[in-house]
Amino acid sequence: MTEAVTIARDGEIAIVTIDNPPVNAMSFHVREPLMAALTALRDEPSVAGMVLACAGRTFVAGADITEFGKPMQQPELRDLIAALETLGKPAVAAIHGTALGGGLELALGCHFRVAEASAKLGLPEVKLGILPGGGGTVRLPRLVGPLKALDMIVSGTPISAKDALANGLVDAVVESDLVAKAVAFAREQAKSGKPAVAVRDRNELIAHADLAAFDARAAELAKKARGLEAPVACAESVRNALTLPFDEAQTKEREIFAKLVAGDQSKAQRHLFFAEREAAKVPGVGKDVKPRDIARVGIIGAGTMGGGIAMAFVNGGIPVTLLEMSREALDRGLGTIEKNYAISVSRGSLTEEAKAKRMAAFTPSTDYADLANCDLIIEAVFEEMSVKKEVFGRIKAVAKPGAILATNTSYLDVNEIAASTSRPQDFLGLHFFSPANVMKLLEIVRGAKTAPDVLATALAVGKKIGKVPVVVGVCHGFVGNRMLGARGAETEPLLLEGATPHQVDKVFTDFGWPMGPFQMWDLAGLDIGWRNRKAQGKKAIIADTLCEQGRFGQKTGRGMYLYESGSRTPTPDPEVAALIEEKAKELGIERREISSQEIIERTFYPLINEGAKILEEGIAARASDIDMVWVNGYGFPIGKGGPMFWASLEGFGKIVERLDYWHARTGKDIFKPAELLRKAAETGKLADAAA
Ligand code: 3H9
């Protein structure tokens, strides 16, 4: 094993290199030798300055997140930063790759920073539910000013080296020979004889900060925090840097860090960080499996779904052949795509030039033969087995050998469609979520015969187009929609038994969902569910009646709620309340007071129970994959870590006990606890299917 920290010399300049693959996290086995190196250099008279660099693909990408929640071993990051600041000779950070979190804080401990042009610098701690705990909130405003620091720390979004240079975060940007140029920089500083000033002592930018402007911006950002504590705490800590002496502000930063890191929100967000990386590891798809090349994608169907999928690929840099039945349908689809891009241009997020480039990446066609040069062909046509089979019959005739064929079905049996293609090894489901150019989730549905390299390709291409891919197995509705069914099964019964739509929705929004189930119905259009139910011979007492009255939701101004004069704000409607009462009477249901707790038990608990059944059946490989699906596709609040993680906080024992209660009372299957959940109630841990 190579040393985690080494010292080399270039004349009077020492080069300290950290080597802790894969991302040079500041683990204990780095901190300890780094401290020893800094102490040795401080006391070495032949050293006039130092460069802090990293081996491998990146500068330090942060503290070691796996150490959080365990007792912190000395020296801590802040001790290293203090050692850098008191080195007595100029220290220069040589930054390549990503200087993130504790990595950037370490660089802020250096007197100067030189970055490669491709480097990115940021404090993304907020995304882990914490704040920078190594002095980042106190030092960054001293270099880039209060407002820029506030934006960077509250958003957690890294900035480019160019932006960093313009804002004073780095002192020089180089195209090549980073370490050699950083050495030259250190040499020049050492020779200048000027004392190296620590960032902590640079007060010019914060001395006369405009607190009113700061507070106004912080209030704006707090509005977007949606129940998350970390963004608000980040703003508070940057403000402390402006109003308190350095040491006091830093002590407060530490206190806030300690509180946040021990809290459930940060645990949930750290869980999601690792869950995303775990989801990329698919049983049966080893690192040695090479993905196929995807240079062009064919998409059949230019409706809302097909158009959105096509945009997602083009936005990710992959050209698309877009196929429709008629020229009119094609023009309509392309027209919508163009309109969407025009909105981005008007908002300033896309240039006219980039828009033109993207539009040019679409090859419209009405001829299946034009799909012959596509490496991946996705159908997004009407959700009907016979239609899908017919489409794949045509694709089969033109697709080149090795081309991957995919269906965007939401519910249909992927294996049955695969069998109809006579090349099921090349076949899989790619379930995008609407609007497909925006929503992050991509359920990759693995058929019984899908080849490992086809899965590897789907994972790679999904990541390339900015999606969060999760591999799932074949069942009705896959992971997301199947669980959604369980979550929604009791929503109408709750209304009939005494709840109001607003009361149910409020339980959801109080929990942190962006909206409740009835608001969702109105947004999506009640007629969509109505049409599906009719096709399946199913009924929904309230929703069907509303549809019969022409109340389809937001688009007609009336649905479960009223939307006055084109507004999107739902107002409870006395007519709906009367309808619910009337239907309850007809059915002989005596209405009663329904508590918020009961709403949770009859909606969230079946959701978790279905998740456990999905795990039992091996439809999802691990509980954290289910969490990824729900956080990225269905708005489950990230501060709660996804349904299966939240279940562990809520208590498996409590959930099983209440499911048993509701099962005994209603006899409904959605309440019958999964065996896996019963086991979890005993062991405190939900076992993965693969375990
Ligand atoms: C912090 O710094 C707190 C301080 O303010 C205060 C302390 C007192 N720790 O993402 P990848 C693993 S908080 C441990 O696939 P990429 C990751 O799990 C931290 N492990 O690579 C994965 O493991 P595996 C602030 C980490 O090239 C492997 O490295 N910093 C850490 O797509 C490869 O990761 C951040 O939040 C870590 N800090 O992207 C940055 N980082 O192979 C977090 C990664 O077993 N990291 N791993 O699955 C990232 O954003 C990305 O990893 C990065 C590379 C952009 C660096």
Side-chain angles (χ1 to χ4, degrees):
M1 202 175 117
T2 52
E3 301 268 327
V5 175
T6 50
I7 307 179
R9 288 286 290 265
D10 183 331
E12 77 287 22
I13 305 297
I15 304 162
V16 176
T17 305
I18 297 172
D19 188 3
N20 183 30
V23 298
N24 288 315
M26 285 300 282
S27 317
F28 171 63
H29 67 265
V30 173
R31 296 197 304 273
E32 199 177 39
L34 183 56
M35 187 55 127
L38 296 178
T39 310
L41 294 178
R42 185 191 60 205
D43 299 337
E44 176 52 56
S46 68
V47 170
M50 73 161 269
V51 167
L52 180 64
C54 285
R57 64 187 198 203
T58 178
F59 192 77
V60 175
D64 185 339
I65 307 168
T66 61
E67 289 181 359
F68 290 175
K70 301 175 190 158
M72 187 51 82
Q73 288 173 286
Q74 309 292 327
E76 294 187 30
L77 178 62
R78 60 183 158 158
D79 303 324
L80 293 165
I81 293 168
L84 280 165
E85 286 181 326
T86 54
L87 199 64
K89 30 200 137 193
V92 179
I95 298 170
H96 75 293
T98 44
L100 299 178
L104 181 58
E105 290 175 308
L106 196 66
L108 289 170
C110 294
H111 306 96
F112 304 98
R113 284 144 297 279
V114 175
E116 238 173 34
S118 57
K120 293 227 178 320
L121 303 92
L123 293 171
E125 283 87 341
V126 70
K127 294 184 180 163
L128 299 169
I130 51 175
L131 86 176
T137 64
V138 203
R139 286 189 184 82
L140 190 63
R142 287 176 152 79
L143 279 190
V144 303
L147 288 180
K148 180 76 178 172
L150 180 69
D151 278 351
M152 281 179 70
I153 295 172
V154 174
S155 74
T157 308
I159 61 172
S160 66
K162 193 173 149 214
D163 196 357
L165 183 67
N167 281 283
L169 177 53
V170 300
D171 303 280
V173 172
V174 301
E175 291 294 335
S176 61
D177 304 320
L178 172 68
V179 175
K181 286 179 182 157
V183 166
F185 192 100
R187 181 165 289 134
E188 210 175 290
Q189 291 301 328
K191 269 198 193 138
S192 75
K194 284 190 260 170
V197 182
V199 174
R200 59 170 286 151
D201 297 324
R202 291 175 56 176
N203 294 324
E204 319 85 79
L205 290 182
I206 60 161
H208 306 288
D210 179 348
L211 280 181
F214 182 90
D215 288 342
R217 179 85 188 121
E220 239 174 76
L221 294 170
K223 266 196 225 148
K224 295 188 197 152
R226 289 233 328 254
L228 291 175
E229 296 156 9
V232 179
C234 284
E236 179 192 337
S237 197
V238 179
R239 193 180 200 281
N240 288 339
L242 312 179
T243 56
L244 300 176
F246 183 91
D247 287 327
E248 221 175 292
Q250 195 174 24
T251 304
K252 283 211 181 295
E253 182 196 79
R254 277 306 291 180
E255 286 167 7
I256 304 174
F257 178 87
K259 194 168 144 241
L260 288 177
V261 84
D264 285 344
Q265 284 192 357
S266 175
K267 282 183 198 151
Q269 287 179 262
R270 271 141 51 202
H271 159 76
L272 292 173
F273 175 84
F274 289 112
E276 183 169 347
R277 280 143 188 92
E278 278 302 294
K281 297 166 194 157
V282 178
V285 185
K287 278 195 177 145
D288 53 320
V289 178
K290 208 177 147 297
R292 299 182 192 176
D293 283 337
I294 303 293
R296 172 169 287 274
V297 174
I299 293 167
I300 298 144
T304 311
M305 207 59 213
I309 299 172
M311 283 177 77
F313 279 98
V314 165
N315 296 350
I318 303 177
V320 164
T321 301
L322 189 59
L323 194 98
E324 256 297 352
M325 308 258 280
S326 67
R327 194 66 234 182
E328 295 73 55
L330 208 45
D331 289 345
R332 217 174 18 245
L334 284 167
T336 306
I337 291 172
E338 175 139 36
K339 233 186 262 160
N340 287 338
Y341 282 136
I343 293 172
S344 304
V345 172
S346 70
R347 285 187 185 147
S349 58
L350 194 73
T351 62
E352 273 294 352
E353 208 188 339
K355 175 185 165 226
K357 218 169 139 196
R358 291 199 189 170
M359 286 310 295
F362 293 94
T363 306
S365 169
T366 51
D367 184 356
Y368 273 77
D370 289 337
L371 297 173
N373 63 349
C374 294
D375 306 294
L376 165 65
I377 302 173
I378 307 170
E379 69 72 22
V381 299
F382 192 63
E383 188 76 345
E384 168 81 54
M385 185 56 92
S386 58
V387 179
K388 304 268 190 204
K389 283 187 180 169
E390 198 215 312
V391 164
F392 278 107
R394 291 188 177 198
I395 296 173
K396 197 168 67 174
V398 296
K400 64 180 173 186
I404 296 173
L405 313 185
T407 171
N408 177 53
T409 182
S410 311
Y411 289 98
L412 298 175
D413 184 344
V414 167
N415 287 328
E416 188 179 336
I417 311 175
S420 79
T421 65
S422 72
R423 46 196 280 190
Q425 72 284 0
D426 291 335
F427 196 92
L428 83 176
L430 288 180
H431 185 206
F432 287 85
F433 289 75
S434 192
N437 52 318
V438 177
M439 295 295 289
K440 286 261 188 216
L441 177 63
L442 172 61
E443 276 185 330
I444 298 178
V445 189
R446 175 186 206 155
K449 297 194 174 151
T450 307
D453 69 334
V454 169
L455 281 174
T457 311
L459 283 161
V461 86
K463 203 167 172 200
K464 181 160 188 227
I465 63 171
K467 301 294 171 203
V468 175
V470 181
V471 174
V472 301
V474 177
C475 67
H476 187 76
F478 316 122
V479 169
N481 282 345
R482 175 169 157 185
M483 287 174 70
L484 185 66
R487 192 193 78 172
E490 288 288 276
T491 41
E492 274 214 344
L494 278 165
L495 295 187
L496 293 167
E497 289 170 44
T500 65
H502 174 67
Q503 188 195 354
V504 174
D505 283 344
K506 188 165 179 309
V507 167
F508 276 69
T509 50
D510 285 351
F511 184 80
W513 299 85
M515 64 182 80
F518 298 118
Q519 289 167 318
M520 189 68 218
W521 285 9
D522 274 359
L523 180 70
L526 289 172
D527 51 323
I528 294 181
W530 191 35
R531 207 173 45 223
N532 288 343
R533 281 192 295 278
K534 278 199 279 194
Q536 294 172 31
K538 291 185 180 165
K539 279 195 182 317
I541 296 155
I542 309 292
D544 287 356
T545 311
L546 291 175
C547 286
E548 282 154 18
Q549 297 171 355
R551 299 182 62 130
F552 293 160
Q554 275 191 27
K555 59 184 161 193
T556 56
R558 294 170 347 140
M560 294 300 296
Y561 294 94
L562 268 184
Y563 300 86
E564 277 162 62
S565 49
S567 140
R568 289 186 180 191
T569 314
T571 312
D573 184 350
E575 277 183 31
V576 175
L579 172 74
I580 294 168
E581 280 187 29
E582 182 196 314
K583 290 289 173 191
K585 209 184 230 167
E586 269 174 40
L587 294 163
I589 299 170
E590 196 158 327
R591 286 167 58 80
R592 61 188 167 84
E593 194 74 25
I594 305 270
S595 70
S596 298
Q597 181 58 27
E598 178 173 341
I599 293 171
I600 288 177
E601 289 176 9
R602 293 174 65 183
T603 54
F604 297 3
Y605 288 9
L607 172 81
I608 289 155
N609 197 28
E610 199 64 33
K613 290 177 187 169
I614 278 171
L615 271 180
E616 247 167 28
E617 294 166 27
I619 299 294
R622 33 181 114 73
S624 62
D625 285 359
I626 296 178
D627 290 335
M628 278 285 105
V629 166
W630 273 81
V631 165
N632 292 293
Y634 296 83
F636 197 99
I638 55 169
K640 299 250 175 11
M644 308 320 275
F645 182 83
W646 179 71
S648 69
L649 296 179
E650 180 80 343
F652 296 115
K654 175 178 168 192
I655 294 171
V656 168
E657 188 199 317
R658 296 308 292 164
L659 283 170
D660 273 332
Y661 168 83
W662 289 108
H663 187 232
R665 191 164 154 168
T666 65
K668 291 180 184 172
D669 263 358
I670 53 160
F671 292 121
K672 188 164 178 243
E675 275 314 306
L676 206 68
L677 211 51
R678 282 202 193 282
K679 261 189 225 144
E682 284 162 24
T683 62
K685 203 176 166 330
L686 200 57
D688 290 336

